[in-house]
Each structure stands twice: as structure tokens, then as C-alpha cells.
Amino acid sequence: QVQLVESGGGLVQAGGSMRLSCAASGLTFSRYAMGWFRQAPGKEREFVAAISRSGISTYYAESVKGRFTISRDSAKKTVYLRMNTLKPEDTAVYYCAAADRSSGSTFAYDYGYWGQGTQVTVSS
């Protein structure tokens, strides 16, 4: 049974930093590209960042480029999202996802497994 469990969310002031973690189990982690998506209240789920299964290639939404960094640790079967210079518009539920493919994807439909999400709230 595949599980993706996010952690690290919470409340932070604008300009602050936060690191999200996503621990994977029940799958061969090295086979999967990983991604982060987010969904704000009243909005559709949107792509944030992705990383190839090798960890060599990364992909970012324009809105977070230069502020967020995605990384992965194969030994720990964990993917991270480091978020710096947070803005109130970054407030959302953040979801981790796994795609059985080599390269990361910006499309939610490419991801077969999803976590339950973790809330990130950025106060102004």
C-alpha cells in the first residue's frame, strides 16, 4: 500500500521560511518522479515544483521560481520543499505526489499517488 505523508506545514509570517517533507512508503522510490502541488481556498489545484527520479532535473512554477527548492533523499525515501520569502498568496494546502516516470511533470494527471496534504498559512 502506497503512502505519501506530508509534514512541516503551519503558520509563518510573510518573508519567513518553511520546509515541507513528504515521506514515501510502499513504492520503489527511485522509480518515481515527485511533485508538489497546492490548492488555495476556492481555487484549483496548481503545480508548484517537481523533481526527476534521478534528482538531477527540477521544475518550478513561475510564481515560486527563485524562492522554492525541491529536493529528494533516496535513502530516506523523502522529498522536500524548501520555501523561502513566503508570501500571503502562498497560503494553501500543499500536496505531495508521485509519478511513475523518469522526468517530473507539471500536470496533476501524470501523478498516480497523492498525499493527504499539509496546510501552509502565511500571514501578512
Side-chain angles (χ1 to χ4, degrees):
Q1 171 188 1
V2 175
Q3 280 193 312
L4 301 175
V5 180
E6 301 98 336
S7 61
L11 175 64
V12 65
Q13 287 189 329
S17 298
M18 184 177 284
R19 189 181 78 162
L20 304 183
S21 300
C22 171
S25 61
L27 53 73
T28 303
F29 187 69
S30 59
R31 274 186 55 182
Y32 288 78
M34 302 296 294
W36 287 95
F37 289 75
R38 68 186 182 187
Q39 187 167 18
K43 295 188 177 182
E44 293 188 353
R45 190 171 298 190
E46 65 173 359
F47 168 76
V48 176
I51 188 166
S52 63
R53 65 184 177 196
S54 69
I56 292 174
S57 300
T58 56
Y59 317 79
Y60 297 95
E62 283 299 321
S63 59
V64 307
K65 200 172 289 186
R67 299 189 297 123
F68 290 12
T69 302
I70 188 171
S71 61
R72 64 189 293 159
D73 184 330
S74 294
K76 295 182 178 180
K77 297 185 179 180
T78 300
V79 62
Y80 304 97
L81 185 68
R82 176 68 180 181
M83 306 183 292
N84 295 328
T85 320
L86 282 160
K87 305 175 181 180
E89 50 264 43
D90 294 318
T91 295
V93 177
Y94 283 70
Y95 298 90
C96 170
D100 189 2
R101 50 184 284 153
S102 175
S103 59
S105 172
T106 63
F107 300 105
Y109 58 68
D110 279 330
Y111 294 83
Y113 300 105
W114 291 82
Q116 293 291 87
T118 185
Q119 176 70 47
V120 172
T121 303
V122 184
S123 63
S124 56

